[in-house]
Amino acid sequence: MEDDAQVGQGEELRRFILSALSASQRNIVNCALCHRSLPVFEQFPLVDGTLFLSPSRHDEIEYDIPCHLQGRLMHLYAICVDCLEGVHKIVCIKCKSRWDGSWHQLGTMYTYDILAASPCCQVRAQI
């Protein structure tokens, strides 16, 4: 599994993901955008898409796994490969522009909110 963390933190991040899933008694995650069930392959952990953490709970997304990282409440989300690659047309609920996740690396755990990283409109920038 690749991650965007500093060198040497990959194993810590792997244990963090597995413990968060275990605490929630989950071995599947749901895509935050299309709700598709994604099995978690435990040895990596890996999903057919990418995982990311957000410091805030997205009210419009039904599926998250609350967890604590370095004393902060975070929310673990997944986005499937189809949504990342544009197979499903994902549009902003505020401005109706299309979201493009194709530049994200599959099988990665991002320690930041990839949905908020590049806002498409002024409304999204303020959320």
Side-chain angles (χ1 to χ4, degrees):
M1 179 180 84
E2 295 289 326
D3 60 58
D4 68 338
Q6 295 176 351
V7 175
Q9 291 182 333
E11 182 60 26
E12 179 183 331
L13 194 53
R14 187 182 85 78
R15 284 193 308 264
F16 166 75
I17 295 167
L18 290 174
S19 65
L21 292 168
S22 178
S24 296
Q25 300 178 342
R26 311 253 326 248
N27 61 359
I28 64 162
V29 292
N30 294 88
C31 177
L33 302 174
C34 74
H35 312 295
R36 177 177 147 202
S37 293
L38 304 170
V40 178
F41 303 100
E42 290 184 27
Q43 290 195 347
F44 299 107
L46 183 68
V47 297
D48 188 17
T50 193
L51 298 167
F52 71 95
L53 291 174
S54 176
S56 22
R57 167 94 171 72
H58 292 284
D59 292 333
E60 67 272 12
I61 300 175
E62 295 177 43
Y63 305 104
D64 77 318
I65 298 172
C67 45
H68 287 82
L69 178 65
Q70 300 172 344
R72 291 182 59 193
L73 176 62
M74 301 293 280
H75 302 272
L76 177 65
Y77 293 100
I79 298 182
C80 74
V81 68
D82 288 346
C83 288
L84 288 170
E85 295 296 324
V87 173
H88 300 134
K89 185 179 177 185
I90 307 298
V91 295
C92 174
I93 59 174
K94 305 295 183 187
C95 72
K96 307 298 184 219
S97 65
R98 190 167 182 171
W99 182 75
D100 177 20
S102 63
W103 59 276
H104 291 94
Q105 186 174 357
L106 298 177
T108 299
M109 169 64 182
Y110 289 95
T111 55
Y112 61 89
D113 188 331
I114 64 174
L115 296 175
S118 54
C120 54
C121 60
Q122 188 60 33
V123 175
R124 277 281 174 219
Q126 296 173 351
I127 294 178

